Every structure is written in C-alpha cells, then in structure tokens.
Amino acid sequence: MYLEPINFVAMKENQIQIHYNIYKWEELSESYKNLMDLSIAAQQNAYAPYSNFQVGAAILLEDGTIFTGNNQENAAYPSGLCAERVAIFACSAQHPNIKIKVIAICANSEKIDINTVLAPCGSCRQSMYEYESKQNTPIKVLLKGVDNEVVEFLSVADLLPLAFQCDGLKKVR
Ligand code: THU
C-alpha cells in the first residue's frame, strides 16, 4: 500500500541535542581508568559462546563500591542478558539505596572486527534510565571507543532522548 506523504507544514519543529565528551585514555582520571579497566576484565569473563561478542560493564556507586557484569548468553537466545543489565540489576538487588555514579562499558571480540564504540542496546538504555530516574541524580556512562578513546555521557538521559517514563504505572488503583 502506498501512503501519501503528509504534505502540510508542521505546526512546530523541535530538535533534541545530546552531549558527550571524547577523551584520550591518557586524559582520563585515575578513577575512570580504573573503572574502564574493571569493565575490560569483566568483559574477558563474558559467557558469549553464541555471538562471540563479549561485553563488560563496571559500575561505581557513590560509596566507592564497584559492581561488574558481563553478557550471559543462553542456548535459548532470548534468555540471555546484556552486560549492562547483569551489572545494574545485581547492583540494585544488593544496594538498592546507594546512588550509582558511573557505569563503564566495553566490548571486544576475537572473531568479529569491532571498529566502533559500543553503544548500549535500547533495552539497557531503558533499564539504566530507570535507575537514574529513581535516584534523581544523573548517572555518567563511559564507553570504550577505538584508538584508545573513551566517550563520556553525563547522563543516561542523553543516551535515551524521549525515554519512556510513566509515574502513573506506580499508582495503586
Ligand atoms: N550485548 C550486551 O551485552 N550489551 C549491549 O548493549 C549490546 C549487546 C550482548 C548481548 C549478546 O550477548 C551479544 O552482546 C550480542 O548481541
């Protein structure tokens, strides 16, 4: 079926800008380097026999506690889970009331040539956004790029413009 394009002028046009910073590894603070290194160590323990794509995440809480996670795959593919959610769910399960400051994420594969920064999947963005909203404080996201670069987002909201949120869902009917 061919649909005619809408040919009237929109009442209003909006644009959304997102911000991120790019650092060279040497420019990172020691705590950022440490967190990135821990995400790389976690990535090396990923269980990814089906995709051969290993992802690691390391989360820094405001009290200094660090949680790591990696992707966990399953022969029944949809039963697996991404690294970011493995880490952030464990974090929330054990420290539900300590704020999350930073999450560092990296990916690697011995079989696939990765020459781009790993941007988290939509489900992980939505999950991270939930905890950012809950704690009412931005969570920084660090992504390991290529050529020793690290990309920093100052909040998950920058990774998920127009995020789904519905406070009404919490109300008891
Ligand atoms: N994966 C992650 O762990 N995080 C992401 O943000 C994207 C994808 C995992 C899921 C699966 O085990 C593999 O990477 C290939 O999609």
Short mmCIF file of all heavy atoms in Angstrom, two decimals, residues 71-82 85-86:
data_model
loop_
_atom_site.label_atom_id
_atom_site.label_comp_id
_atom_site.label_asym_id
_atom_site.label_seq_id
_atom_site.Cartn_x
_atom_site.Cartn_y
_atom_site.Cartn_z
N ASN A 71 28.03 -10.00 29.58
CA ASN A 71 26.86 -10.64 28.95
C ASN A 71 26.85 -12.14 29.21
O ASN A 71 27.89 -12.80 29.22
CB ASN A 71 26.74 -10.30 27.46
CG ASN A 71 27.99 -10.50 26.65
OD1 ASN A 71 29.10 -10.41 27.17
ND2 ASN A 71 27.83 -10.79 25.38
N GLN A 72 25.67 -12.65 29.44
CA GLN A 72 25.44 -14.06 29.75
C GLN A 72 24.45 -14.60 28.73
O GLN A 72 23.28 -14.22 28.73
CB GLN A 72 24.86 -14.19 31.17
CG GLN A 72 25.81 -13.71 32.26
CD GLN A 72 27.07 -14.57 32.36
OE1 GLN A 72 27.01 -15.80 32.29
NE2 GLN A 72 28.21 -13.93 32.54
N GLU A 73 24.96 -15.43 27.84
CA GLU A 73 24.10 -15.94 26.76
C GLU A 73 23.51 -17.30 27.13
O GLU A 73 23.88 -17.91 28.14
CB GLU A 73 24.91 -16.01 25.46
CG GLU A 73 25.36 -14.61 25.04
CD GLU A 73 26.02 -14.56 23.67
OE1 GLU A 73 26.36 -15.62 23.10
OE2 GLU A 73 26.20 -13.43 23.17
N ASN A 74 22.59 -17.74 26.31
CA ASN A 74 21.88 -18.99 26.58
C ASN A 74 21.52 -19.66 25.26
O ASN A 74 21.25 -18.95 24.27
CB ASN A 74 20.61 -18.69 27.38
CG ASN A 74 20.01 -19.94 27.98
OD1 ASN A 74 19.35 -20.71 27.30
ND2 ASN A 74 20.26 -20.15 29.24
N ALA A 75 21.50 -20.99 25.26
CA ALA A 75 21.12 -21.72 24.05
C ALA A 75 19.73 -21.29 23.58
O ALA A 75 19.45 -21.26 22.38
CB ALA A 75 21.16 -23.22 24.31
N ALA A 76 18.88 -20.96 24.53
CA ALA A 76 17.59 -20.34 24.18
C ALA A 76 17.88 -18.83 24.13
O ALA A 76 17.86 -18.15 25.16
CB ALA A 76 16.54 -20.67 25.22
N TYR A 77 18.22 -18.33 22.97
CA TYR A 77 18.82 -16.99 22.83
C TYR A 77 18.18 -15.88 23.67
O TYR A 77 18.89 -15.12 24.33
CB TYR A 77 18.84 -16.55 21.36
CG TYR A 77 19.80 -17.33 20.48
CD1 TYR A 77 20.60 -18.37 20.98
CD2 TYR A 77 19.91 -17.03 19.13
CE1 TYR A 77 21.46 -19.07 20.15
CE2 TYR A 77 20.79 -17.73 18.30
CZ TYR A 77 21.55 -18.75 18.82
OH TYR A 77 22.41 -19.44 18.01
N PRO A 78 16.84 -15.74 23.66
CA PRO A 78 16.28 -14.60 24.40
C PRO A 78 16.45 -14.69 25.90
O PRO A 78 16.21 -13.72 26.62
CB PRO A 78 14.78 -14.63 24.03
CG PRO A 78 14.68 -15.51 22.83
CD PRO A 78 15.81 -16.49 22.94
N SER A 79 16.87 -15.86 26.39
CA SER A 79 17.07 -16.00 27.83
C SER A 79 18.37 -15.35 28.31
O SER A 79 18.58 -15.18 29.51
CB SER A 79 17.10 -17.48 28.24
OG SER A 79 15.91 -18.10 27.85
N GLY A 80 19.24 -15.00 27.40
CA GLY A 80 20.50 -14.34 27.78
C GLY A 80 20.26 -12.90 28.21
O GLY A 80 19.15 -12.36 28.07
N LEU A 81 21.31 -12.30 28.74
CA LEU A 81 21.16 -10.91 29.19
C LEU A 81 22.45 -10.12 28.91
O LEU A 81 23.55 -10.66 29.00
CB LEU A 81 20.85 -10.88 30.69
CG LEU A 81 20.28 -9.56 31.23
CD1 LEU A 81 18.94 -9.21 30.57
CD2 LEU A 81 20.09 -9.65 32.75
N CYS A 82 22.27 -8.84 28.59
CA CYS A 82 23.40 -7.96 28.31
C CYS A 82 24.20 -7.65 29.57
O CYS A 82 23.67 -7.68 30.69
CB CYS A 82 22.91 -6.63 27.75
SG CYS A 82 22.15 -6.73 26.13
N ARG A 85 22.87 -4.85 31.99
CA ARG A 85 21.76 -5.21 32.88
C ARG A 85 22.18 -6.24 33.92
O ARG A 85 21.69 -6.20 35.05
CB ARG A 85 20.56 -5.68 32.06
CG ARG A 85 19.76 -4.49 31.54
CD ARG A 85 18.61 -4.91 30.66
NE ARG A 85 19.08 -5.37 29.37
CZ ARG A 85 18.37 -6.11 28.53
NH1 ARG A 85 17.18 -6.53 28.87
NH2 ARG A 85 18.87 -6.45 27.35
N VAL A 86 23.08 -7.14 33.55
CA VAL A 86 23.61 -8.08 34.57
C VAL A 86 24.19 -7.25 35.72
O VAL A 86 23.92 -7.49 36.90
CB VAL A 86 24.67 -9.01 33.96
CG1 VAL A 86 25.43 -9.77 35.04
CG2 VAL A 86 24.01 -10.00 32.99
#
